[in-house]
Amino acid sequence: MSDGDDDALAAVVEKPRAEVATEQLRAEGVYDDRRKVREYGPESVALPVTTAPADTDVLEVVVQTDPELRGTTLPDLLAERGWTDAEIERAPGSWAVIGSVVLVTLEDCPREAELGDALLELHGEADTVLAHEGVDGERREPDGRVIAGDPSTETIHTEHGTRYALDLRDVMFSPGNKAERARMADVIAGEAGPTVETDREGPERVFDMFAGIGYFTLPMARAGAEVTAAEINPTAYRYLIENAVLNDVQDRVEAYRADCRDVEVSGADRVVMGYYDAHEYLDDAVAAAASGGVLHVHEATPEAELWDRPVGRIEAAADRAGRGVEIEGKRKVKSHSEGVWHVVVDARVA
C-alpha cells in the first residue's frame, strides 16, 4: 500500500469501545481484515477500514502512512492448496468464530473440505467448521453441516464477559448483533440511553419476549436487571436456563418456555423484542410496558421504508392501546440482505 492510499484509512475510537466498534464496522461492511489494529495515543486505537464509516460513531478517520498487514490470509492458504484465482473469488470473504466453532456461509464456494481445513489452519483456537444454511420457522431453528474438524458443534462463546453455552446446529447465534447485545447491558448500567422514567424504585424490570439462549437476557441481568424471559424453542430454553446458571444470574432471570403472548407481564421498565417479525407482537409489548417504559423493537426493514415502517407500526400499536409513544432512538444493527437493514427502534410508552 502506498502513502495516502484509500485502503490505508483507519477509524479512531476509544480503547474501551474498540470491540463494539469493530463489530459495528464489520456490520457496516467497511472493516478491513487485511491490516492490524494499531494504537493511536494512550487512550484510543485505529481500526482499519476500507472507506469512512457512515453509521459507526468514531472520533476521526485518519490515513495510515505505514499500515501493517496481517499475516497469512485465507486466500494465501487456498492458493497453497492449488486453488485458482477464479476459485478463490468464490470463497467466502467473511466468517465468524463462535467459541470453538467457525461459522461460515458458503453460497457457491467450491472444494468445501479444503476450505474448512484452511479455516481451521487460520484459526488455531477453533476445532470445527460449520456451514450455515439459513434459519427455519417460528422457532428460528438453524440449518447447518460440519465441513471440517470435530463433528461436535456444542461450545461456550464469551463476549464482553457474558458466557453463552450453545450448540450451533440446534440454536441460532448472530455475530453481527454483538454491539447491540453490549448496548443493552450499557442501558441497564446507565452508560447508554434511553433511560427509564418510572416511579418504581429498585432494579429495572425487563421483559425479553424472544429470549433465545439469553442473547439480551444475560447481559442485561449481569448489569443488574430483573428479567422475565420467554422462549418457545425447547432447545434454546434449555440453554437459557443453563446460561443463567453459567453467568450466576439465575436469581435475576425468571424464564418461561412459552409463547411470549401467554406470559403475563405488566409494568415492565423495558420490553425487548429481538425478532424480525416483532411487529406482530407489538400490542402485547405495549400492554406489558409501564408508563414511561421503553420498547426496544427489532425489524428487518427495506432501505426505502426506513424509518417510516417500523416507527409507524409502533405508533399504531400505541394508538390502539390509547397510549402515547415517543421515539427515542433509531439504529441500524447490520445489513440483513440486499437492500434490507436489521434495525432497532427505541420507543418510550406513555
Side-chain angles (χ1 to χ4, degrees):
M1 298 177 185
S2 60
D3 291 358
D5 192 318
D6 285 346
D7 286 341
L9 292 178
V12 179
V13 301
E14 304 93 335
K15 285 183 178 178
R17 285 196 64 244
E19 187 176 9
V20 171
T22 297
E23 295 305 317
Q24 291 174 332
L25 292 168
R26 288 189 192 279
E28 195 174 336
V30 299
Y31 190 80
D32 189 351
D33 283 297
R34 297 172 301 169
R35 288 182 282 134
K36 293 183 178 180
V37 175
R38 304 281 294 277
E39 285 198 346
Y40 195 84
E43 298 180 354
S44 58
V45 294
L47 305 176
V49 292
T50 56
T51 189
D55 299 316
T56 304
D57 291 331
V58 302
L59 298 175
E60 59 178 320
V61 177
V62 299
V63 175
Q64 291 183 326
T65 57
D66 56 345
E68 187 176 357
L69 294 176
R70 294 182 182 273
T72 301
T73 66
L74 179 61
D76 294 333
L77 294 174
L78 295 178
E80 290 175 4
R81 287 164 168 77
W83 285 45
T84 65
D85 289 345
E87 288 176 320
I88 291 173
E89 281 291 322
R90 293 165 59 193
S94 63
W95 51 89
V97 181
I98 301 173
S100 60
V101 179
V102 179
L103 187 65
V104 62
T105 300
L106 297 180
E107 297 181 350
D108 67 341
C109 178
R111 302 164 71 169
E112 295 177 0
E114 290 184 5
L115 172 77
D117 289 340
L119 285 169
L120 289 177
E121 184 177 343
L122 191 64
H123 295 284
E125 73 276 25
D127 299 321
T128 304
V129 179
L130 180 68
H132 177 63
E133 298 179 326
V135 178
D136 293 329
E138 184 182 61
R139 296 188 176 185
R140 297 171 288 171
E141 296 170 330
D143 290 329
R145 54 193 172 82
V146 173
I147 62 171
D150 191 326
S152 173
T153 50
E154 190 168 34
T155 189
I156 295 178
H157 175 68
T158 303
E159 69 181 37
H160 304 295
T162 300
R163 303 177 72 195
Y164 297 91
L166 73 163
D167 189 324
L168 286 159
R169 261 195 296 217
D170 293 334
V171 296
M172 60 175 288
F173 192 91
S174 176
N177 295 353
K178 184 176 184 178
E180 187 64 18
R181 288 189 286 270
R183 185 178 80 99
M184 297 313 293
D186 289 343
V187 298
I188 298 298
E191 297 174 2
T195 59
V196 298
E197 296 180 357
T198 64
D199 295 330
R200 191 182 58 79
E201 297 182 357
E204 286 193 24
R205 295 176 55 197
V206 174
F207 182 25
D208 188 351
M209 296 181 74
F210 311 95
I213 65 169
Y215 312 109
F216 299 115
T217 290
L218 297 172
M220 296 178 87
R222 291 184 66 242
E226 294 180 349
V227 184
T228 300
E231 176 50 47
I232 197 170
N233 182 312
T235 304
Y237 176 80
R238 174 172 62 83
Y239 280 113
L240 171 63
I241 297 299
E242 179 179 335
N243 286 329
V245 175
L246 186 64
N247 288 275
D248 196 26
V249 294
Q250 63 270 28
D251 292 340
R252 292 199 289 276
V253 175
E254 184 177 13
Y256 294 87
R257 186 168 73 84
D259 186 306
C260 57
R261 292 168 292 195
D262 296 330
V263 179
E264 294 185 8
V265 176
S266 61
D269 298 312
R270 297 184 190 275
V271 180
V272 182
M273 308 181 74
Y275 177 46
Y276 289 143
D277 291 325
H279 64 92
E280 299 176 5
Y281 302 77
L282 275 167
D283 289 345
D284 298 273
V286 171
S291 178
V294 177
L295 310 181
H296 302 281
V297 185
H298 293 236
E299 183 178 301
T301 308
E303 182 85 41
E305 298 187 66
L306 290 176
W307 290 89
D308 293 341
R309 190 175 81 175
V311 169
R313 285 169 164 171
I314 294 168
E315 291 175 341
D319 186 63
R320 286 192 295 271
R323 303 179 68 175
V325 68
E326 181 179 354
I327 304 303
E328 298 223 341
K330 298 178 290 188
R331 296 168 54 84
K332 290 180 178 178
V333 176
K334 64 180 185 297
S335 174
H336 173 267
S337 57
E338 183 68 29
V340 179
W341 284 93
H342 172 186
V343 302
V344 179
V345 177
D346 301 328
R348 188 180 305 282
V349 181

